[in-house]
C-alpha cells in the first residue's frame, strides 16, 4: 500500500470539526468493491455529514444517505449480492446493428437500475434522506454538470448512471441527462462548494493495467479511465488547499466484463479487505483518516 500525504486543512470553528463529507465516484460493476469498502468503513464510528455520488457512487450513496449506519452498509452489500447472477445488458451484434439502424440512443433501457430503485427506495424523494445527498449528472442539452438535491431520487440516480450509448439518456424538464462521470466522475468540487472542509473520497477511476484493449468497448472504457484518472489528479491539485481531503484509490487492475456482475462476491470481499487495511493503517485517534492519497494496486479477474 502506498500513501501520499496531503495538506492539512483546519475547520472553520477551530478545534470543532464537522463530520467528513463522503464523495463516491462511478465505476460500473466496481461499485460492488466500493460497497465492500463502505461496509468496513461504517463498522467504525464514521458517519458522513453529506454524501456526493456519481453513477455507481450515486447508487451506493443514495442508499447510505437513506440508511447512514452500519446496518445500512450491510444491507447495501446484500443488494449487490442480489445482482450477481444478472447482466447489466447483453452485447448482441444483431441487436446493436438494429439499434444503430433505427437511430436508437442506447443498447439498454436500464430496466435493472429502475427495478433496483423501485425495490429499495421506499420514499422516492431527496427529502427522505437522513444525510444530505447530492447526485451528479451531465446535462447533455446544455453541456454542463448538474447536481441534483431535490425532487425524485430515482430519476436523479437513473440520470447519473446513464452511461452514454449503453443506457438511455434521461429526460428531466425538457433536458437530456447522461452519466455524471462524463464531467465529474469524482465530484470533489461540489462537496467543497457546499462547505465541506473534511472529505473522504473513494475513487474507482484509476483502473489502468497497461494492457492493450482487445475490443472497441475495451478501448472506450480504457479511454474513459485515463480521462477520469487525469481529471482526479488535476482536481486534487486544484482543491486540496480548500479542504482536508483523503483520497482512497484502490487502483484496481481488472479484466472484468463491463456488463457482467458475476464477480460481485469477489469485489465485495476485496473491497471490505481493502477497507480494513486502509482503516488499520491510516485511521487516527480522532476517527478520521489521514489527509492525502492512499494507493493499493489490486488484481481482480473474472
Amino acid at each position: 500500500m502506498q500513501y501520499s500525504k496531503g495538506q492539512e486543512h483546519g475547520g472553520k470553528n477551530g478545534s470543532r470539526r464537522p463530520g467528513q463529507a463522503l464523495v463516491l465516484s462511478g465505476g460500473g460493476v466496481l461499485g460492488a468493491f466500493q460497497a465492500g469498502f463502505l461496509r468496513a468503513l461504517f463498522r467504525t464510528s464514521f458517519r458522513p455529514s453529506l454524501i456526493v455520488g456519481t453513477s455507481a457512487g450515486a447508487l451506493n450513496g443514495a442508499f447510505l444517505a437513506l440508511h447512514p449506519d452500519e446496518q445500512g452498509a450491510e444491507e447495501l452489500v446484500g443488494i449487490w449480492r442480489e445482482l450477481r447472477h444478472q447482466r447489466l445488458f447483453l452485447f448482441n451484434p444483431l441487436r446493436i446493428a438494429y439499434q444503430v439502424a433505427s437511430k436508437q440512443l442506447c443498447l439498454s433501457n436500464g430496466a435493472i437500475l429502475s427495478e433496483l430503485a423501485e425495490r429499495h427506495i421506499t420514499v422516492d424523494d431527496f427529502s427522505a434522506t437522513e444525510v444530505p445527498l447530492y447526485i451528479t449528472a451531465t446535462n447533455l442539452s446544455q453541456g454542463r454538470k448538474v447536481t441534483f438535491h431535490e425532487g425524485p431520487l430515482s430519476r436523479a440516480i437513473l440520470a447519473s448512471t446513464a452511461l452514454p450509448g449503453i443506457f438511455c439518456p434521461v429526460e428531466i424538464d425538457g433536458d437530456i441527462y447522461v452519466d455524471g462521470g462524463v464531467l465529474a466522475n469524482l465530484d470533489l468540487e461540489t462537496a467543497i462548494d457546499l462547505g465541506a472542509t473534511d472529505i473522504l473520497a473513494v475513487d474507482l477511476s484509476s483502473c489502468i493495467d497497461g494492457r492493450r484493449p482487445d475490443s472497441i468497448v475495451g478501448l472506450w472504457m480504457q479511454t474513459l479511465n485515463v480521462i477520469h484518472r487525469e481529471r482526479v489528479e488535476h482536481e486534487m491539485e486544484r482543491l486540496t488547499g480548500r479542504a482536508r481531503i483523503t483520497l482512497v484509490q484502490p487502483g484496481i487492475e481488472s479484466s472484468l466484463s463491463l456488463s457482467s456482475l458475476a464477480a460481485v462476491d469477489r469485489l465485495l470481499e476485496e473491497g471490505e479487505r481493502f477497507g480494513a487495511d486502509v482503516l488499520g493503517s491510516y485511521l487516527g485517534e480522532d476517527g478520521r483518516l489521514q489527509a492525502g492519497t492512499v494507493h493499493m494496486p489490486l488484481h481482480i479477474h473474472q
Side-chain angles (χ1 to χ4, degrees):
M1 185 181 298
Q2 180 183 353
Y3 174 74
S4 303
K5 189 174 182 181
Q7 178 176 341
E8 294 288 338
H9 193 285
K12 294 181 179 179
N13 299 317
S15 61
R16 288 183 63 237
R17 296 177 183 271
Q20 283 184 309
L22 180 63
V23 179
L24 302 174
S25 85
V29 296
L30 297 179
F33 181 94
Q34 192 178 73
F37 175 88
L38 293 169
R39 183 187 197 185
L41 179 66
F42 274 75
R43 283 176 176 164
T44 70
S45 60
F46 176 86
R47 296 295 180 267
S49 57
L50 64 90
I51 299 175
V52 179
T54 301
S55 200
L59 284 167
N60 289 335
F63 190 81
L64 288 176
L66 291 165
H67 311 281
D69 53 27
E70 183 177 350
Q71 181 59 36
E74 293 287 342
E75 292 177 10
L76 177 61
V77 167
I79 291 171
W80 277 98
R81 284 212 170 100
E82 292 175 10
L83 299 174
R84 64 185 182 276
H85 300 305
Q86 301 191 45
R87 295 184 72 86
L88 292 176
F89 50 87
L90 295 175
F91 278 117
N92 183 308
L94 292 178
R95 179 177 174 80
I96 292 174
Y98 170 78
Q99 299 287 76
V100 172
S102 59
K103 298 182 179 180
Q104 300 292 313
L105 297 179
C106 56
L107 300 180
S108 171
N109 61 10
I112 186 174
L113 300 176
S114 299
E115 291 169 4
L116 272 178
E118 184 177 342
R119 286 205 311 269
H120 299 288
I121 298 176
T122 54
V123 180
D124 191 13
D125 196 277
F126 277 89
S127 63
T129 63
E130 294 189 26
V131 172
L133 172 67
Y134 300 83
I135 290 180
T136 301
T138 300
N139 185 322
L140 202 60
S141 302
Q142 300 182 23
R144 63 186 180 91
K145 181 184 80 174
V146 171
T147 306
F148 292 100
H149 181 56
E150 298 177 334
L153 186 52
S154 61
R155 202 70 173 158
I157 293 172
L158 291 176
S160 184
T161 56
L163 192 62
I166 303 298
F167 295 121
C168 296
V170 175
E171 184 174 345
I172 300 175
D173 296 333
D175 284 341
I176 297 298
Y177 291 84
V178 296
D179 197 301
V182 171
L183 292 179
N185 198 49
L186 185 74
D187 195 2
L188 294 168
E189 184 175 49
T190 287
I192 292 175
D193 286 347
L194 289 166
T197 58
D198 200 344
I199 298 172
L200 171 58
V202 185
D203 176 32
L204 301 175
S205 65
S206 184
C207 308
I208 310 301
D209 59 10
R211 292 180 300 175
R212 291 173 58 90
D214 57 5
S215 67
I216 292 175
V217 174
L219 177 64
W220 177 52
M221 292 306 297
Q222 188 162 321
T223 300
L224 284 179
N225 282 330
V226 170
I227 293 171
H228 291 161
R229 182 182 60 181
E230 290 300 311
R231 185 172 292 151
V232 168
E233 291 178 359
H234 172 75
E235 290 294 275
M236 282 293 289
E237 291 177 2
R238 185 172 70 89
L239 298 172
T240 296
R242 295 177 56 190
R244 181 186 186 279
I245 303 173
T246 301
L247 176 64
V248 178
Q249 287 182 314
I252 300 170
E253 299 175 2
S254 171
S255 61
L256 299 178
S257 165
L258 175 66
S259 62
S260 175
L261 292 160
V264 159
D265 283 334
R266 174 83 186 281
L267 287 166
L268 289 168
E269 292 169 3
E270 291 293 335
E272 186 174 354
R273 182 179 63 81
F274 174 77
D277 288 346
V278 169
L279 293 168
S281 299
Y282 302 116
L283 189 67
E285 294 182 359
D286 58 358
R288 298 181 307 163
L289 288 167
Q290 300 172 33
T293 301
V294 180
H295 294 288
M296 181 180 178
L298 296 172
H299 304 271
I300 300 176
H301 303 289
Q302 197 79 352

